Amino acid sequence: MGICENRTVIITGAGGGLGRAYALTFAAEGAQVVVNDIRLDAALAVCEEIRGQGGKALANAGDITNMASAEAIVAAACAEFGEVHVLVNNAGICRDRMFASLTESDWDDVMRVHLKGHFCLANVLARRWRDAAKAGNQIDARIINTSSGAGLQGSIGQSNYAAAKAGIAALTLVQAAELGRYGITANALAPAARTGMTEQVFGEMMKKPGGADFDYFDPANVAPLVVWLGSAESRQVTGRMFEAAGGLISLAEGWHTGAARDKGSRWLPAEVGAAVAELLEEGRPAQKVYGA
């Protein structure tokens, strides 16, 4: 028996790349999988793979950036499988340009798919799970969000994407703090893998190796962590950010209050420079921005 037996998971952007790897691995661990992707043909193909291996899957092409559509996605999942236990927010897009060259649509498109796309389904399900918990039902639900190294450290040429992914990291912290009382955990990961998006930027670095060499950037390498986070085994883990690539799993550390100076009264502008110099000397520098 797999670790996700009889659990239903909705995975967005599951027609290829990381989402497809998650869907196949969840199904192999006994989950019933809703394969959501705007490309219905891609979602259907993944469902056929899952069914060919004896699993259960439902293809769905609903818009994750629209609340009415999100309600319909959840309703379809419940009609097919009875309940939803796990949401994996995976879908995303890139509109990469240097900051001064970004257009309004470049910004809005990325925020809509990443940030609003992380909001709609999670909000629909959070309300459903909260109401069920208040009615006395035992809830053991999971929200798994997708941030990025760009969101944790920044990335040259990706200010819109980095800002959205940083927003997702903060969203995860708040979800975990607010929803834990209802039996809902919220975690996020920053994966590094070969996908349709990353191949546009890191194609040469992430290309598949020849021969029997370990394929470090194979999306399937990230899937075990995501599936474990979606299982009942992870119920004590919430509000965490993981980084995953190849055989590596690491725990990302967020902003903390660091070096400090308290004068005990209002600073004069002329005094601030010396205090900041001391703080910078004592403080831990941020990791380098990707591409810097």
Side-chain angles (χ1 to χ4, degrees), residues 132-154:
K134 287 184 173 182
N137 296 295
Q138 190 71 31
I139 302 300
D140 192 21
R142 306 285 181 270
I143 298 172
I144 303 170
N145 294 326
T146 305
S147 185
S148 167
L152 304 181
Q153 296 159 225

Side-chain angles (χ1 to χ4, degrees), residues 204-266:
E204 183 61 28
M205 181 183 79
M206 290 190 171
K207 69 181 181 180
K208 189 172 183 177
D213 292 342
F214 176 52
D215 186 358
Y216 187 85
F217 290 108
D218 186 341
N221 297 332
V222 179
L225 170 62
V226 176
V227 172
W228 183 83
L229 287 172
S231 76
E233 295 183 9
S234 68
R235 62 172 56 92
Q236 302 302 321
V237 180
T238 194
R240 295 292 192 164
M241 174 70 70
F242 296 90
E243 295 180 90
L248 174 70
I249 298 174
S250 60
L251 192 63
E253 297 180 345
W255 292 104
H256 297 271
T257 302
R261 290 292 184 278
D262 184 354
K263 181 182 174 182
S265 61
R266 184 181 303 153

Side-chain angles (χ1 to χ4, degrees), residues 22-64:
Y22 301 161
L24 293 172
T25 309
F26 264 109
E29 290 295 328
Q32 301 154 153
V33 184
V34 179
V35 179
N36 170 268
D37 200 292
I38 57 172
R39 305 162 299 165
L40 182 58
D41 57 340
L44 287 167
V46 174
C47 287
E48 283 303 306
E49 286 189 78
I50 290 172
R51 294 188 190 110
Q53 297 170 9
K56 297 179 181 179
L58 174 68
N60 181 282
D63 181 2
I64 63 167

